[in-house]
Amino acid sequence: MKAVHTELHRSHDPQFFLVRGVVKRTTEQPERADRLLKGLKDGKHQLVDPTKFGQGPRARIHSPEYLSFLSEAWDAWAALGDSGPEMIGNVHPVRHAATYPTHIVGKLGWHTADTAAPIGPGTWAAACAATDVAVTAAQMVMDGEDAVYALCRPPGHHAYRDMAGGFCFLNNSAIAAAHLRQKHERVVILDVDVHHGNGTQGIFYARPDVYTISIHADPIAYYPYVWGYAHERGEGPGLGANLNIPLPIGTGDDGYLKAMDVARKAIESFAPGALVIALGLDASEHDPLKGLAVTTPGFRRIGQAIAKMGLPTVFVQEGGYLSDILGANLTSVLAGFEEVR
């Protein structure tokens, strides 16, 4: 399986992470990509440079106001003269009868769901590069590759149409799915990150053409807390095209594979032309965010289960944080897929 990657991700190097009132360095560090690259090398995957697709694929998913904000945010922030080294909102309007702000501090709050998406001078460039990685992988699959892996950083599945959050700015998985829609009438996004893919769900919640499925740690006690419950099924034309499978904290391999079987049956009923895997590796028993307990052999079984779905597949990297086993888990899930396909 080929893998798409760019070193441009390094321009995004966030520092701030607020955990239960304690400021720590974020776990979404450039070193994540280094460890994932080691996993690709160990799996003997050929690396491919991304093609620059420009703003078009991003504009299919994100609002014009949001894209304008992200592209101009750092310069406006720096022009304040008394601003900090990263953009972190201190106002998060609920938008009830609200007016879109003109001041950069107001826009920052409007367009961020939480404090876990600090914006630095290189964030926009890195986020755009990540979308190019995802779209390149999708285009390769559209052109005939059976499956392609996209090493996207920063990740994307917590990003809404017009909001960043949870380390995410542009929704790479959603953008890849929208690109695949140019060829396929129906597409599925299967999110196997330990966190619910709330941004992806929000983007497609009223659409019947992209079925969003998320397997994740139960949000009753885990981020994002207010999205990801089983009763969230979509709305309007999209009713029934969203499936959440929350798992008890600490669920291991067997419980996870049972959830994968539920997802497989739903995907078969939907009969899509292509599949996007929002590949979080943070369901690992060794991940620092400690939500689920999937082992390295368990990730191989997950890869095998995905392969058995028999669909053209784009793997888009989401979470998976600094642990000694991160690269091995990537090697394992892709190897499991290749064993079957």
Side-chain angles (χ1 to χ4, degrees):
M1 185 189 309
K2 294 176 182 175
V4 187
H5 165 68
T6 174
E7 286 292 302
L8 293 176
H9 77 90
R10 295 189 185 281
S11 67
H12 177 61
D13 189 7
Q15 302 296 312
F16 181 93
F17 189 31
L18 186 63
V19 183
R20 298 179 182 176
V22 179
V23 176
K24 303 180 179 181
R25 187 180 178 198
T26 181
T27 51
E28 209 294 280
Q29 300 173 21
E31 186 183 346
R32 291 182 59 231
D34 296 333
R35 298 193 182 201
L36 293 166
L37 282 169
K38 174 66 163 53
L40 293 173
K41 180 180 179 181
D42 290 346
K44 297 181 171 54
H45 297 279
Q46 178 186 344
L47 294 180
V48 177
D49 292 329
T51 300
K52 291 184 178 180
F53 283 84
Q55 195 79 309
R58 297 186 279 272
R60 292 191 192 108
I61 292 298
H62 295 288
S63 72
E65 295 83 4
Y66 182 55
L67 292 172
S68 178
F69 160 74
L70 286 177
S71 67
E72 300 168 357
W74 182 257
D75 287 343
W77 180 259
L80 293 175
D82 58 353
S83 53
E86 292 184 303
M87 298 179 66
I88 302 157
N90 63 301
V91 177
H92 297 285
V94 293
R95 306 190 186 188
H96 293 308
T99 299
Y100 185 71
T102 57
H103 194 281
I104 185 58
V105 174
K107 287 184 179 180
L108 176 59
W110 184 278
H111 290 300
T112 51
D114 53 41
T115 60
I119 297 172
T123 298
W124 171 244
C128 288
T131 68
D132 283 336
V133 168
V135 176
T136 299
Q139 185 64 50
M140 291 169 66
V141 168
M142 289 167 64
D143 290 342
E145 294 284 343
D146 181 51
V148 179
Y149 167 79
L151 203 174
C152 294
R153 186 188 168 270
H157 73 149
H158 296 308
Y160 284 85
R161 180 174 182 267
D162 62 353
M163 279 197 301
F167 309 154
C168 302
F169 302 92
L170 298 172
N171 197 311
N172 306 308
S173 293
I175 290 168
H179 194 72
L180 289 166
R181 276 285 289 109
Q182 294 181 107
K183 180 176 181 179
H184 301 286
E185 183 178 352
R186 291 180 301 280
V187 174
V188 167
I189 301 175
L190 172 58
D191 192 322
V192 298
D193 191 281
V194 75
H195 303 98
H196 173 246
N198 56 305
T200 310
Q201 171 177 296
I203 287 167
F204 295 111
Y205 207 58
R207 285 178 55 170
D209 57 328
V210 178
Y211 192 2
T212 48
I213 303 174
S214 182
I215 304 172
H216 50 270
D218 195 331
I220 196 169
Y222 205 70
Y223 185 91
Y225 297 104
V226 296
W227 298 286
Y229 294 88
H231 65 263
E232 298 163 13
R233 300 183 54 245
E235 65 184 10
L239 183 61
N242 186 82
L243 174 63
N244 290 327
I245 309 174
L247 300 176
I249 301 296
T251 295
D253 296 353
D254 290 343
Y256 201 99
L257 268 295
K258 288 180 181 177
M260 286 291 294
D261 195 51
V262 173
R264 176 189 59 79
K265 292 175 182 177
I267 291 169
E268 287 177 353
S269 296
F270 188 68
L275 175 65
V276 175
I277 300 296
L279 183 63
L281 298 170
D282 41 7
S284 168
E285 60 182 344
H286 298 296
D287 194 87
L289 300 185
K290 299 292 182 187
L292 300 176
V294 175
T295 66
T296 300
F299 278 107
R300 184 179 292 264
R301 292 170 65 191
I302 290 171
Q304 291 169 342
I306 293 167
K308 290 175 183 176
M309 297 177 191
L311 293 165
T313 303
V314 180
F315 288 89
V316 176
Q317 187 63 52
E318 296 289 353
Y321 301 99
L322 296 182
S323 72
D324 292 338
I325 209 72
L326 177 59
N329 287 340
L330 177 58
T331 305
S332 185
V333 71
L334 297 183
F337 183 94
E338 291 180 325
E339 285 171 359
V340 174
R341 297 274 276 270

